[in-house]
């Protein structure tokens, strides 16, 4: 369990993270989503006690990171790919980490096997591909068999087989009752892996909740209506309080009324419909609509007030 | 929500104390090639200079002036190669810290040991011990090699003569303390190139700049320069008594430099974002 409370971090005149609060509960994969530069990595570094927050706190299993006696046995993290001395072998990298936390050599062999690097464990890390570096980083995160795991963009540099492996690994770790926190700027990836979402933009929380809630709350669902006399249909629907947007091609997107109600209204007005189909916004669309402002913001100035709340 | 089911069977229950941290730092140090290359380079220059000095002095003794013969220090001449080793140990001391920043390993290190002062403490214990031991081995090795090559009529030194053991042992102490100074500088500066430049600048460049200034101004400062101190510490015959610190005071000053750099480095390590 990770609890982040009112976290704020400022670098010179840029606010990287602003009054951020959320939780990462055990037993599920919590996706951490935001556009590039929205403060995801900074937040993860603060959780790991690497960066000092200007305000707010993080607790892991009820304690601050600094107070963990054997941090690797409670929290494992993959923060950067290949943040490893290129001249050292994979085995030696894990060995020294194990020694700092009193973890056995047997466990080093075990995690190397889990990530499929046993055959190259004695080779210098400098010769590793990005994907192999990611696997080694994941091995390091798993080393202490921790109950809390953080992964910053774990699928970067992985081939399709590796991506599938990471997805299943994350779900498996959560199914074992661990708190799994994984960041990504790819909504589609999160849709496949995460149960819960924490979405941030410009360092502030935009949304926190389940993936289903997220889709329903943000873009919501709408009904696509198409017919030969669509302008008359639009008048009828607007009279009933629905909001209607042109959807091209004699079609409209209707928010606020469900397909059944629209069908009834069309029949009452004796208007022929060629299409009446409920639409669900994809996670990707929901994410885009939520973070559009945050992304645009990066090209402009830095002192525009940030909307919090979702 | 499911409860946490973590299986602690993989991990030992031994507390991760200082000994583990030291062992981990030792693993890091010995598993990169740069460590062995720097130590090898130190051995080559220190012993090489001793051999060349011993052989050439014996060969040229007949052309030495009376003053040169009177002030000839058979101990000091065989330890001159330590000056190069002082530069090289700086590279080793710097890399122990700066390579972690350069490669990003520092974040793994500090995540594994959030008590950052302990990390620097373990590194200091290791670098201090290693450079002291290597320094002593090379200093004594250079001494014996050089003395073995000094042929009559050129005089040679014995450890039993006054000041000789102090000078030879002092050569190793200088290497040990400068290794710690370099580690401290790297903890402050964090970049390999910047830290090595600063270290070499302190040892080599500052004295050269000082020597271009009026001696009334530079003399009182020069005696505090590491190279000057090491020269006094590794010599038996010292020219110009009043202008130098005693070997023991010099060792104390070097230790203060190392302590100050490590202290500031440790303070910054704890304060700064990794």
């Amino acid at each position: 369990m990770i609890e982040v409370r009112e976290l704020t971090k400022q670098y010179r005149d840029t606010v990287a993270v602003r009054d951020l609060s959320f939780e990462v509960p055990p037993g599920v994969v919590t996706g951490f989503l935001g556009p590039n530069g929205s403060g995801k990595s900074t937040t993860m570094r603060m959780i790991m006690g690497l960066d000092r927050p200007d305000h707010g706190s993080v607790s892991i299993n009820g304690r601050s990171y600094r107070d963990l006696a054997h941090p690797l046995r409670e929290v494992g993290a993959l923060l950067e790919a290949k943040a490893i001395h290129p001249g050292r072998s994979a085995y030696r990298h894990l060995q020294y980490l194990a020694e700092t936390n009193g973890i056995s050599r047997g466990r080093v062999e075990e995690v190397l096997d889990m990530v499929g690097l046993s055959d190259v464990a004695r080779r210098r890390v400098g010769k590793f591909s990005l994907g192999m570096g990611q696997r080694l980083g994941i091995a390091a995160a798993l080393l202490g068999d921790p109950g809390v795991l953080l992964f910053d963009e774990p699928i970067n540099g992985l081939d399709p087989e590796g991506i599938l492996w990471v997805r299943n690994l994350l779900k498996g770790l959560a199914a074992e009752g661990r708190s799994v926190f994984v960041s990504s700027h790819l909504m589609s990836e999160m849709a496949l892996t995460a149960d819960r979402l924490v979405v941030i933009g410009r360092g502030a929380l935009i949304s926190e909740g389940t993936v289903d809630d997220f889709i329903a709350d943000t873009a919501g669902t709408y009904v696509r209506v198409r017919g030969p006399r669509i302008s008359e249909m639009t008048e009828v629907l607007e009279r009933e309080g629905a909001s209607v947007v042109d959807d091209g091609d004699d079609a409209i997107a209707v928010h606020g009324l469900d397909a059944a109600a629209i069908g009834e209204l069309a029949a009452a007005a004796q208007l022929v419909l060629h299409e009446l189909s409920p639409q669900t916004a994809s996670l990707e669309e929901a994410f885009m609509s939520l973070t559009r402002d945050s992304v645009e913001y990066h090209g402009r100035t830095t002192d525009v007030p940030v909307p919090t709340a979702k | 929500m499911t409860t946490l089911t973590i299986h602690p069977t993989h991990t030992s229950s031994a507390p991760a104390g200082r000994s583990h941290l030291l062992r981990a730092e030792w693993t890091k140090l010995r598993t990169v090639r740069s460590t062995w290359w720097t130590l090898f380079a130190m051995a080559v220059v220190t012993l090489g200079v001793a051999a060349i000095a011993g052989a050439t002095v014996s060969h040229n003794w007949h052309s030495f002036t009376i003053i040169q013969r009177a002030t000839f220090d058979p101990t000091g001449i065989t330890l001159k190669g330590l000056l190069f080793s002082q530069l090289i140990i700086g590279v080793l001391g710097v890399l122990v810290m700066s390579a972690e920043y350069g490669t990003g390993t520092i974040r793994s290190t500090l995540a594994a040991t959030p008590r950052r002062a302990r990390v620097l403490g373990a590194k200091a214990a290791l670098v201090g011990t290693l450079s002291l031991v290597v320094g002593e081995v090379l200093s004594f090795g250079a001494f014996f090699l050089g003395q073995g090559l000094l042929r009559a009529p050129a005089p040679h030194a014995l450890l039993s003569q006054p000041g000789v053991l102090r000078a030879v042992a002092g050569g190793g102490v200088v290497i040990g303390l400068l290794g710690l100074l370099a580690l401290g500088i790297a903890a402050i500066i964090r970049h390999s190139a910047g830290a090595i430049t600063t270290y070499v600048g302190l040892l080599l460049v500052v004295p050269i700049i000082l020597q271009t200034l009026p001696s009334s101004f530079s003399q009182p400062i020069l005696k505090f320069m590491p190279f000057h101190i090491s020269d006094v510490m590794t010599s038996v015959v010292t020219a110009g008594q009043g202008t130098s610190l005693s070997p023991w005071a010099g060792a104390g000053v070097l230790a203060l430099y190392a302590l100050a750099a490590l202290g500031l480095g440790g303070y910054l390590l704890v304060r700064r974002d990794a």
Side-chain angles (χ1 to χ4, degrees), chain B residues 1-271:
Chain B
M1 230 173 268
T2 23
T3 48
L4 261 92
T5 52
I6 306 310
H7 317 289
T9 47
H10 306 304
T11 55
S12 82
S13 55
R18 250 168 236 282
S19 62
H20 286 86
L21 209 49
L22 263 180
R23 199 193 303 158
E25 287 297 334
W26 172 232
T27 300
K28 269 193 254 184
L29 187 61
R30 71 188 165 84
T31 54
V32 290
R33 281 184 291 190
S34 60
T35 303
W36 304 108
W37 278 116
T38 47
L39 295 181
F40 176 71
M42 283 170 69
V44 169
V45 294
T46 307
L47 300 177
V49 168
I52 292 167
T56 53
V57 167
S58 300
H59 191 255
N60 295 332
W61 183 257
H62 63 273
S63 62
F64 274 36
T65 64
I66 292 181
I67 294 168
Q68 281 176 321
R69 292 183 189 192
T71 57
F72 178 65
D73 181 355
T75 306
I77 194 87
T78 55
L79 298 179
K80 288 286 181 239
L82 284 173
L83 293 178
F84 298 102
S85 279
Q86 288 167 23
L87 295 176
I88 302 172
I89 197 69
V91 174
L92 186 122
V94 162
L95 284 180
V96 163
M97 197 71 205
S98 66
E100 295 222 14
Y101 284 100
T103 60
T105 317
I106 190 73
R107 282 176 278 281
S108 299
T109 297
L110 297 182
T113 313
R115 302 291 173 99
R116 299 182 181 185
R118 289 188 188 176
V119 172
L120 189 60
K123 284 183 187 295
L126 193 64
V127 168
T129 308
L130 181 73
S131 45
L132 177 66
V133 169
V134 169
E136 292 296 357
V137 167
L138 290 181
S139 193
F140 278 91
F143 174 78
F144 287 119
L145 179 66
Q147 302 315 315
L149 291 168
L150 278 173
R151 293 272 172 269
H156 65 271
L158 296 167
L159 281 180
S160 54
Q161 291 167 340
V164 173
L165 181 59
R166 188 265 305 146
V168 179
V173 171
V174 169
I175 298 287
L177 292 174
L178 289 179
L180 288 174
L181 173 64
L183 176 68
I185 288 172
I188 298 166
I189 294 180
R190 299 195 285 188
H191 294 99
S192 300
I196 290 171
T197 306
T198 304
Y199 177 82
V200 173
L202 276 177
L203 262 64
L204 279 181
V205 184
V206 174
I208 291 171
I209 295 171
L210 279 174
Q211 269 162 357
T212 65
L213 301 170
S215 65
S216 60
F217 177 80
S218 65
Q219 278 305 328
I221 306 174
L222 266 175
K223 63 181 175 188
F224 291 102
M225 291 291 112
F227 261 10
H228 194 83
I229 291 172
S230 83
D231 204 36
V232 173
M233 284 179 71
T234 55
S235 302
V236 176
V237 182
T238 36
Q241 288 292 329
T243 58
S244 303
L245 298 169
S246 78
W248 302 105
V253 168
L254 281 189
L256 275 179
Y257 290 163
L259 207 63
L262 285 170
L264 179 58
Y267 170 79
L268 291 173
L269 177 66
V270 171
R271 296 277 309 180

Side-chain angles (χ1 to χ4, degrees), chain A residues 78-251:
Chain A
L78 164 77
L79 292 188
E80 283 157 278
K82 298 197 80 178
I84 297 164
H85 196 297
R88 200 175 278 130
S89 75
Y91 183 88
R92 297 300 192 187
H93 175 69
L94 296 177
Q95 182 193 331
Y96 90 76
L97 282 176
E99 283 165 350
T100 58
N101 275 242
I103 297 163
S104 75
R105 295 270 186 106
R107 179 62 182 169
V108 171
E109 307 271 5
E110 213 170 278
V111 292
L112 279 166
D113 193 48
M114 282 170 74
V115 301
L117 289 179
S118 294
D119 293 342
V120 293
R122 301 281 172 178
R123 224 186 280 171
R124 286 177 211 290
V125 174
K127 308 241 185 263
F128 278 21
S129 68
L130 184 56
M132 287 157 84
Q134 286 287 35
R135 284 171 184 265
L136 180 54
I138 291 169
L142 298 174
L143 190 62
D145 201 7
V148 175
L149 286 146
L150 283 80
F151 299 96
D152 196 0
E153 306 271 358
I155 60 164
N156 274 3
L158 291 181
D159 52 20
E161 186 257 343
I163 292 173
L164 187 64
W165 171 74
V166 167
R167 259 180 225 153
N168 291 331
L169 177 77
L170 296 179
K171 287 178 183 169
L173 290 167
E176 288 168 16
R178 300 174 213 253
S179 308
V180 180
F181 192 45
V182 52
S183 82
S184 179
H185 61 281
L186 298 174
M187 191 72 210
S188 51
E189 186 51 38
M190 289 296 95
L192 291 165
T193 320
D195 310 293
R196 291 180 79 253
L197 284 180
V198 172
V199 184
I200 66 168
R202 275 182 282 165
L205 187 73
I206 293 177
S207 160
E208 181 186 7
T210 67
V211 173
D212 296 339
D213 287 350
F214 177 75
I215 298 171
D217 287 358
T218 50
T221 53
Y222 67 97
V223 182
R224 182 177 154 90
V225 178
R226 196 163 59 85
R229 293 161 66 190
I230 203 67
S231 56
E232 286 166 60
M233 190 66 212
T234 302
E235 280 168 33
V236 170
L237 291 168
E238 281 178 341
R239 219 177 294 133
E240 292 297 316
S243 86
V244 179
V245 189
D246 184 53
D247 208 11
D249 241 12
D250 285 341

